[in-house]
Amino acid sequence: MNIQWYPGHMEKARRQMQEDLKVVDLLIEVLDSRIPFASRNPEIKSMGQGKPRVILLNKADLADPEANARWIKAFEKEGALAAAICSRSKKDIALAKGLIEKASAEKRERNKRRGILNKPVRVMVCGIPNSGKSTFINTLCGKAISKTGNKPGVTRGKQWIRLDKGVELLDTPGILWPKLEEEDTDIHLALCGSIKDELLQAQELSLRLVSFLKERYPGALAGRYEADETADDAGILLQVARKRGCLKSGGEEDLDKAAKLLLDEFRGGKLGRISLERPRDGE
């Protein structure tokens, strides 16, 4: 599947982020817990080299708990503080606040030794489109400050947000990156809604999802749609269309409608807690 997905505004945002990183003390990466590898912008990882990091696996309630635990261990091995959260959960936001305090403790202490008492720690919050970054910021601040939406590309400009006397947050636009090096990264991003649906071929994408579910989560399709999982991928999509009444005027199965329904239900967690990625052995 060839997805053209790097609009010009993202290049402008990337350059601005590179400049902003020079003045921040801490980096928070908000990732989609279902696809932590695909949703982690490698350019942000390299641009923020040397700065303390907090990595938040957002939408954790949609992901496989076992995979979440493995990802947390993987990120901790690289020196980051990590947690699996749901951005609307006050309990999880309290956990994230604790990680921010822990990660910024050295900077605070250094300022204290220098006699700098009132300078807030500056924190950049970054994440790809539709990672839940803006919802996280709003819940963290206790009010709607950052624009949100269940689609990519809602936040377009940067904004500084005072969290408390000791912390300032920099909200940044969700940016992707121009070149994909890893196979299936674009598919995983598309499946989780981080690429605008207008750019996608829904049937092709849904068949990739069917194939993955049959292999890694057998029973998920049978449980939701009473599908015969011994059928081929196209046959299962036909079964979904019939089961859900996705039909054209003459009674023919509407495969585009069935494909979009399948994608929507996966994204909404109706097929169960599913992770598309797990850490690779040794990484």
Side-chain angles (χ1 to χ4, degrees), residues 15 19 21 51 70 99 137 188 220 236 254 263 271:
R15 292 195 300 267
E19 287 299 310
L21 275 166
K51 293 185 183 292
R70 287 182 59 186
L99 293 183
I137 289 174
H188 291 174
I236 288 180
D254 188 335
L263 293 173
L271 302 179

Side-chain angles (χ1 to χ4, degrees), residues 33-213:
S33 59
R34 297 165 295 180
I35 50 168
F37 180 82
S39 63
R40 192 180 194 194
N41 190 328
E43 294 190 343
I44 294 174
K45 182 180 178 181
S46 61
M47 285 191 295
Q49 201 71 31
K51 293 185 183 292
R53 292 173 189 265
V54 172
I55 296 178
L56 301 176
L57 299 171
N58 196 25
K59 305 184 182 182
D61 57 325
L62 301 177
D64 189 322
E66 183 269 340
N68 287 344
R70 287 182 59 186
W71 278 110
I72 289 171
K73 288 182 180 179
F75 288 129
E76 288 176 343
K77 282 184 179 179
E78 70 174 48
L81 298 176
I85 70 163
C86 299
S87 57
R88 288 185 171 85
S89 165
K90 291 184 179 180
K91 180 180 178 181
D92 288 355
I93 292 300
L95 172 62
K97 280 185 176 180
L99 293 183
I100 293 171
E101 291 179 6
K102 185 175 181 180
S104 61
E106 184 177 339
K107 174 66 176 180
R108 295 174 193 271
E109 184 59 31
R110 189 160 59 245
N111 284 346
K112 186 177 179 180
R113 289 197 301 268
R114 294 173 178 174
I116 305 172
L117 303 179
N118 297 316
K119 185 178 181 180
V121 174
R122 288 191 150 187
V123 180
M124 176 183 284
V125 185
C126 57
I128 66 168
N130 206 32
S131 63
K133 172 179 61 66
S134 295
T135 300
F136 163 72
I137 289 174
N138 289 341
T139 309
L140 183 67
C141 297
K143 54 185 176 180
I145 294 174
S146 187
K147 293 181 180 179
T148 65
N150 190 25
K151 60 181 180 179
V154 175
T155 304
R156 285 296 179 92
K158 71 172 185 176
Q159 55 179 326
W160 282 102
I161 302 162
R162 176 61 67 94
L163 180 60
D164 54 39
K165 291 182 179 180
V167 177
E168 284 185 349
L169 299 178
L170 175 59
D171 184 14
T172 58
I175 63 170
L176 298 168
W177 53 104
K179 187 177 180 182
L180 297 174
E181 303 291 347
E182 296 289 334
E183 185 180 0
D184 290 339
T185 296
D186 57 345
I187 300 299
H188 291 174
L189 289 166
L191 284 170
C192 292
S194 293
I195 300 172
K196 290 183 178 180
D197 283 346
E198 296 82 34
L199 303 177
L200 307 177
Q201 298 171 350
Q203 284 191 47
E204 185 179 348
L205 189 61
S206 69
L207 291 176
R208 295 290 292 266
L209 177 60
V210 167
S211 178
F212 173 83
L213 293 174

Side-chain angles (χ1 to χ4, degrees), residues 6 10-18 43 47 175:
Y6 192 68
M10 288 189 180
E11 173 58 25
K12 181 180 178 181
R14 187 195 68 81
R15 292 195 300 267
Q16 183 61 57
M17 183 178 293
Q18 197 164 16
E43 294 190 343
M47 285 191 295
I175 63 170

